[in-house]
Each structure stands twice: as C-alpha cells, then as structure tokens.
Amino acid sequence: MATIKAAIPGVFYRRPAPTEDPYVQAGDTIVPGQTIALIEVMKNFNEVKAEQAGTVAGFLVEDGDEVSIGEDIVELKN
Amino acid sequence: MSELLVHRGGLHTTVQDIGRDGHYSLGIPPSGAMDQYSYRVANMLVGNPDGAAALEVTYVGPRIEFTDDRYVAVTGAEAAVTVNSEPVERWSTLTVRAGDVLDFAMLTAGARPYIAVSGGIGVDSYLGSRSTYTLTGLGGFQGRALKNDDRLPLGDDSVAPPTVGSTVPEKLRPTFPEVATLRTMIGLCSYRITDESMREFTEVPWKVTKDADRIGYRLRGGSLRFVDRKVPHGAGSDPANVVDLGYPIGSIQVPGGDEPIVLLNDAVTAGGYATVGTVVSVDRDTIAQTKSGDQVRFEPVDLDAALAARRDRRERLERTRESLRR
C-alpha cells in the first residue's frame, strides 16, 4: 500500500487550526498538491501536500505526535 | 547570464559564509554556516577561496538550475543528490552546464546539506559578510531564505578547482551518531544550578525539540534544580534569572530548569538567563547536523581541550585539502 511520508521532522497536525475540521478524513479522495496535514518545526507550520492521487485509508500517526523524516504518516489505497 | 534559477527554495535555504564577526556588541550575531567544516570543504571542492558564500540547506533541499558552466559540490547532511535526475556523488567536485538542474531527495541523516558553486554566491557583502541573518532581514539574498523563482547572482568564476571527480574520503566526512556529543565548557552561571543537577546535565541525553533553528536549539530530557538565593539587585525573580550578561555563542541557558536552549549562529546577544555552559565552537558543527527528534549529550571539557579541538578541525581541513587531486 502506498504511503505519504514526512519530509521534515516536527509536530504533526491534521487541522489548519485547533477549532477547524481536519484537512482530510479516512475515505476521502485526494489529488496531487492537496494539503493533507501540517508539520510544525522551526516556529513554522509547514503544509504536507499529497504527491499522488488516491484515497485515504487511514492516518498512521495521531494529531500532535512528533514525526521524523521519512516516517509514514498516511496510508493510501488506490 | 550567470545566475542560479531557484525552481524550489526548499524549507529554509540561506546564503551563508564564515560569518559576520565583530558586531556582537551592537546586537548583531555572526550568522554564517552552522556547520563550518562541511561549508569550508564544499568551497575547497569547487576551488573557491575559503570565505566564499555558499547555500545552507535545512531538512528539505532546493531545486536549482544553472545558467552557465560551473563547478558545484554538495557536502554536509546526507540526502541523495541528482543532476538532471541522474544520481551524482556528494562530497565531490562536479561540473554543470547551462540548463542543468540540481535536485535533492529526502534527507537520510544529518540536518543541513551545503551547496558550493564556483565563483560563490554573488550577493552584496554587508558589514564584511554575505551571510543571511533572517531575524532582522540583513545580509544574504534580500535578508531571507530562498523562495521559489528567485534568481541568485553568482560571482566571477576564475577558480582552479580540484580535478573533476575528486572526492573527500569517508574518514574525513562528519558522522551522524545516534546521540551526538557536544563538548562543553561549564560556566558562566553554573553556580545557579545544584551540584547534583549539574551532574544530571552532563549525564542525561537531551532530545532536540521542534524549536530548533539557527537562533538556538531547545532541548528536553532532564530537570535541573536551582540553588536557593536572595535575588540580587538587577536580576529577575525567576530562579533562572541573573543580572543581564552577554550570551556567548554556543552558550546554554536553562529557563525553567527543564528546557535548555543552546544559542547558535543567529543568537540573541544578551539577556538575563543563567548560562550553565558553552558548547565549544567546533562542536557547533555537530549540533548543526542534529534535527528535531535527535539526541545530544554535553561532555564537560576545559579550555585546553576546547582549543585542541579547534586545532584538530584545522588539521582535518588541511588533510582534506591535500586529499583532493589537482
């Protein structure tokens, strides 16, 4: 199964802001370039964008978890 | 035309050199390449003079197109590098032509790759340096990190680089251990911490938090206790406060006792937090190649050991220079 990996280390967030809905949910279809999460590092919130199209099978890390470079964060099904 | 066309800026790519020394008393930190060893070797590989400006990459590399014939080298952190999608050697003298595109894959170890181009990055010098200080937006390319579609000027390419394909031997490249050791001189305000806590400070591994940039690295791991005292005139009431002092580059302050901050090349220059030690200048190269989630420990050393470390790095740079064929 394809995954989306973290390209930078930091703290993982699924929402653009604490009071807003998550960018994507399991079952959603995503397109290349679509923002699916944020990673906070060096005082910046960096958008994680999908590089390929697919359907979100699930998230492999929790909102607020620390992630490292290369870590799988989202599982995709075609 | 002799420019670099920035297709993609990367996460935080800045123009840096040996730094802007001599203005700390005015509140201007030195800036400059955080890992001086990797930066200096990159310049050697393309035949540049020692102080030529290069690019410092953080975590995610840029994609750059060349507009004329140049020598180029990539050192520092590990990430696969390509020219026109073909893999190329790192730590090696490469040639590129107009239209060639240099790109990076995901980082695999370390934190900061360096890119040197023959002729150097030709931005204007400010107070004697081309280094970028992003906090106040001075030096480098418009005082900021690179953005997509920037065009970076290059200097005159009249260099005599090593033979194309010359590569730095593995043993002269930095390593990226699981827990990086930072040699540290204890002081200036370690008297504020209990003896037991100072032992803990040098024994526990500290983890690099998400708040780790060119200004400083915030760490977590231990919990240090302060010595009880009567607050002196001029110091804040927090136990971590002392009467304001200049912060040495590399100094470690401990607000709250449980989140040490190591100040680095873009340091705030002064303030009122007790600094319990200072990472020796050579080992700023080491901390520069750690990233959020990595671990470091502080190893106490004396002044002689700190100076010996500096001599060792100088000798290592000379050995590297000699290892490159001409």
Side-chain angles (χ1 to χ4, degrees):
Chain A
M1 224 179 232
T3 59
I4 297 174
K5 296 179 194 300
I8 53 175
V11 178
F12 174 84
Y13 298 105
R14 286 187 54 193
R15 304 157 198 274
T19 54
E20 292 182 37
D21 291 336
Y23 285 104
V24 289
Q25 305 273 16
D28 285 359
T29 306
I30 56 169
V31 296
Q34 183 176 342
T35 301
I36 54 145
L38 297 176
I39 295 176
E40 182 194 5
V41 73
M42 301 196 301
K43 297 172 189 156
N44 275 305
F45 292 90
N46 303 279
E47 293 181 342
V48 180
K49 291 181 189 292
E51 288 188 357
Q52 59 179 102
T55 302
V56 176
F59 281 82
L60 302 170
V61 289
E62 298 290 325
D63 203 52
D65 277 1
E66 289 180 18
V67 294
S68 53
I69 293 182
E71 186 171 344
D72 290 323
I73 51 180
V74 176
E75 203 165 28
L76 298 176
K77 57 187 176 200
N78 296 315
Chain B
M1 185 169 62
S2 51
E3 290 178 315
L4 293 180
L5 308 181
V6 180
H7 291 192
R8 186 187 67 226
L11 181 69
H12 188 83
T13 306
T14 53
V15 177
Q16 299 294 346
D17 60 15
I18 52 174
R20 184 178 287 112
D21 281 330
H23 308 285
Y24 207 57
S25 60
L26 301 176
I28 301 176
S31 301
M34 297 251 288
D35 174 358
Q36 282 286 320
Y37 183 85
S38 296
Y39 152 76
R40 286 171 196 231
V41 172
N43 270 334
M44 281 179 201
L45 283 163
V46 298
N48 279 345
D50 285 343
L55 295 177
E56 177 180 278
V57 171
T58 315
Y59 300 152
V60 178
R63 184 166 66 229
I64 292 170
E65 181 181 335
F66 297 87
T67 57
D68 60 357
D69 291 0
R70 293 281 168 171
Y71 298 96
V72 61
V74 180
T75 64
E78 288 175 17
V81 178
T82 57
V83 173
N84 303 332
S85 306
E86 294 292 325
V88 293
E89 282 278 318
R90 299 165 52 257
W91 296 89
S92 186
T93 303
L94 312 170
T95 51
V96 289
R97 300 178 155 269
D100 283 354
V101 176
L102 179 88
D103 202 355
F104 285 81
M106 203 179 276
L107 214 69
T108 51
R112 291 181 169 82
Y114 288 84
I115 309 166
V117 180
S118 55
I121 308 298
V123 295
D124 289 339
S125 179
Y126 180 78
L127 293 177
S129 165
R130 294 185 169 82
S131 291
T132 317
Y133 177 44
T134 55
L135 209 56
T136 58
L138 63 83
F141 183 74
Q142 300 179 5
R144 59 166 171 81
L146 300 189
K147 290 183 192 163
N148 300 356
D149 305 321
D150 280 343
R151 302 166 79 101
L152 277 182
L154 290 178
D156 276 345
D157 183 8
S158 56
V159 300
T163 311
V164 173
S166 295
T167 300
V168 176
E170 287 282 347
K171 65 176 191 303
L172 290 173
R173 303 182 193 182
T175 54
F176 307 107
E178 192 139 326
V179 182
T181 301
L182 305 176
R183 287 165 289 187
T184 299
M185 280 192 62
I186 301 302
L188 304 163
C189 312
S190 48
Y191 61 85
R192 287 293 307 123
I193 307 290
T194 65
D195 290 346
E196 194 185 339
S197 281
M198 279 311 291
R199 264 197 307 281
E200 177 179 334
F201 173 72
T202 59
E203 282 167 5
V204 300
W206 296 90
K207 190 166 146 189
V208 178
T209 67
K210 65 179 166 54
D211 299 316
D213 58 19
R214 291 182 45 86
I215 301 163
Y217 269 42
R218 191 185 286 262
L219 310 171
R220 218 170 283 146
S223 184
L224 309 183
R225 290 174 170 280
F226 293 91
V227 175
D228 289 336
R229 65 157 181 198
K230 181 171 172 289
V231 178
H233 178 73
S237 57
D238 189 285
N241 285 148
V242 290
V243 178
D244 282 13
L245 75 162
Y247 291 145
I249 305 291
S251 64
I252 306 153
Q253 50 185 250
V254 285
D258 50 5
E259 289 205 343
I261 298 170
V262 184
L263 290 177
L264 297 169
N265 298 44
D266 290 356
V268 284
T269 54
Y273 280 117
T275 59
V276 301
T278 302
V279 174
V280 306
S281 59
V282 169
D283 286 354
R284 294 208 302 271
D285 293 359
T286 304
I287 191 169
Q289 293 297 357
T290 66
K291 55 186 168 294
S292 302
D294 288 351
Q295 290 186 311
V296 301
R297 56 176 289 274
F298 298 105
E299 179 186 291
V301 294
D302 60 15
L303 183 60
D304 286 342
L307 292 173
R310 198 181 291 185
R311 272 196 307 277
D312 284 350
R313 179 175 67 179
R314 201 155 51 223
E315 284 167 14
R316 221 167 126 79
L317 281 165
E318 282 320 305
R319 281 212 305 283
T320 303
R321 198 186 296 277
E322 284 158 20
S323 78
L324 301 173
R325 288 171 288 126
R326 289 196 176 263

